[in-house]
Amino acid sequence: MKCPVCNHENGDAHFCERCGSNLTQTTSSPTPVPNSESSVSEPEYTRWSSTQATSSQASVPSNTPSVSIHKEQARESTGTNDHASAGDNSSNQWNNIVQNEKVQQAKEVSKQYLSYFLSVLARPYQTMKTVGDQHSLNGWLTMALIAVLSSTYFLITFSRIGMDGLFIGGFLRPLLFTVIILIASIALMYAILKIEKITFRPKTLVAQFGTLLVPAVVSLVLANLFIIISYSIAISLLAVSYIIIFVALNSVLFQYPLNRTQAAIDSMYSVLIANVVVFFILYRLLGEIIIGLIRLMLSPFGRL
């Protein structure tokens, strides 16, 4: 057998007689001769450790972008939360500002209305001639007070009598009926002035009508207070407040120069028709309630 290392011819020996190479291993698995002696002599654990070090070094850059991405996402989420909290704070501040502005406006309107109410109460008819569009809001507020106070009167009266359905029958229905009566009065005045072909401003008309209704508010306040003392006085004050509505309607109409043109109907009759219509609406809506209270006033219990 020829030695593959030194080419020495050997017999059946397992090792070469010249160089001592293993002829059996060489023959069964011929391996290529390494070109570098350093690679042959390099220990196995050195190659393994260098391979592991290389693989670990190669794996570090691959994980770095994901870590940076997670950091960026955390920063973005933190920034989003900061922006959201800042937005919530700003919205809460804005809501507080708006609410404060509304409260201040309500206080200012209340102060203005109180001074207006006191000045009108002394001279309602003279003040009615000087009001303008800017007082229309005060007119609406006066009419709203009349509707609320009248329905409060019925609610208190029915609760003392012990009737059923207090809130609907004693508050909501009188409130709605009073509102209908007041709006019908304004509509009739508007229609008469249009028929007479008189130039006027609707807001001024509301302001004038509301100005003359200020005494009705005082009458209703006293009526609510006198329910505890005497039903007869209370129902009389309630009737006075509704009479003031008719007086206000006629006073507003007659302070305009009626019958200047040849209208289809005389001014006296048109005003009379307006009064009849308002009285009919009042009777149909609140007649039964008021008549029942008058009967209560005439009873021995109502004379207290």
Side-chain angles (χ1 to χ4, degrees):
M1 178 181 295
K2 185 182 286 187
C3 179
V5 177
C6 61
N7 294 324
H8 179 71
E9 188 68 25
N10 297 293
D12 296 328
H14 295 284
F15 296 93
C16 179
E17 295 175 355
R18 178 180 293 179
C19 64
S21 299
N22 191 350
L23 299 178
T24 306
Q25 183 178 1
T26 304
T27 305
S28 59
S29 57
T31 56
V33 179
N35 296 327
S36 172
E37 294 180 359
S38 61
S39 63
V40 175
S41 61
E42 183 179 9
E44 185 67 22
Y45 76 92
T46 305
R47 292 196 302 272
W48 181 84
S49 62
S50 62
T51 305
Q52 293 296 322
T54 304
S55 62
S56 63
Q57 291 176 0
S59 63
V60 169
S62 63
N63 294 331
T64 302
S66 62
V67 174
S68 62
I69 290 171
H70 288 300
K71 289 182 178 180
E72 285 294 328
Q73 292 178 351
R75 290 175 184 173
E76 290 178 358
S77 61
T78 305
T80 303
N81 294 330
D82 293 337
H83 286 302
S85 60
D88 293 337
N89 293 330
S90 62
S91 63
N92 291 332
Q93 292 177 357
W94 175 253
N95 291 330
N96 292 331
I97 291 172
V98 171
Q99 291 177 358
N100 292 331
E101 289 181 354
K102 290 182 178 179
V103 171
Q104 294 298 328
Q105 290 176 358
K107 289 181 179 179
E108 189 66 24
V109 171
S110 300
K111 291 179 181 179
Q112 292 178 359
Y113 182 76
L114 181 60
S115 60
Y116 158 84
F117 187 89
L118 295 176
S119 63
V120 169
L121 187 60
R123 296 180 179 274
Y125 186 76
Q126 292 183 3
T127 308
M128 181 267 295
K129 294 181 178 180
T130 60
V131 294
D133 293 353
Q134 68 274 16
H135 298 96
S136 61
L137 178 60
N138 295 327
W140 288 116
L141 289 175
T142 303
M143 287 184 276
L145 285 174
I146 290 175
V148 173
L149 289 172
S150 61
S151 58
T152 303
Y153 174 87
F154 291 117
L155 179 64
I156 296 174
T157 304
F158 290 168
S159 63
R160 289 175 63 87
I161 297 174
M163 295 181 63
D164 297 331
L166 289 178
F167 185 71
I168 297 177
F171 186 80
L172 288 182
R173 290 180 63 187
L175 178 68
L176 179 61
F177 294 162
T178 307
V179 169
I180 293 173
I181 292 168
L182 294 172
I183 293 177
S185 300
I186 296 175
L188 289 169
M189 289 187 293
Y190 182 88
I192 291 173
L193 293 177
K194 282 294 185 181
I195 293 172
E196 295 288 335
K197 299 180 180 179
I198 296 175
T199 302
F200 68 98
R201 301 177 68 88
K203 289 185 178 180
T204 303
L205 183 67
V206 172
Q208 291 172 341
F209 184 61
T211 301
L212 294 178
L213 291 178
V214 168
V217 175
V218 178
S219 178
L220 285 170
V221 171
L222 294 175
N224 283 277
L225 294 176
F226 272 93
I227 293 177
I228 303 173
I229 302 172
S230 173
Y231 280 111
S232 60
I233 298 176
I235 191 63
S236 300
L237 291 171
L238 178 68
V240 168
S241 64
Y242 283 105
I243 292 173
I244 292 174
I245 296 176
F246 289 93
V247 175
L249 184 147
N250 292 277
S251 299
V252 171
L253 287 176
F254 282 114
Q255 64 96 25
Y256 284 96
L258 300 178
N259 206 19
R260 291 192 310 172
T261 60
Q262 295 295 329
I265 184 173
D266 190 80
S267 301
M268 178 181 175
Y269 295 115
S270 60
V271 174
L272 179 62
I273 291 172
N275 284 270
V276 171
V277 171
V278 173
F279 180 79
F280 179 77
I281 295 173
L282 177 63
Y283 174 76
R284 292 293 296 176
L285 297 181
L286 296 176
E288 295 180 0
I289 301 175
I290 295 175
I291 290 173
L293 293 177
I294 292 174
R295 289 176 180 173
L296 179 64
M297 178 190 69
L298 297 176
S299 65
F301 180 72
R303 294 193 183 98
L304 297 176

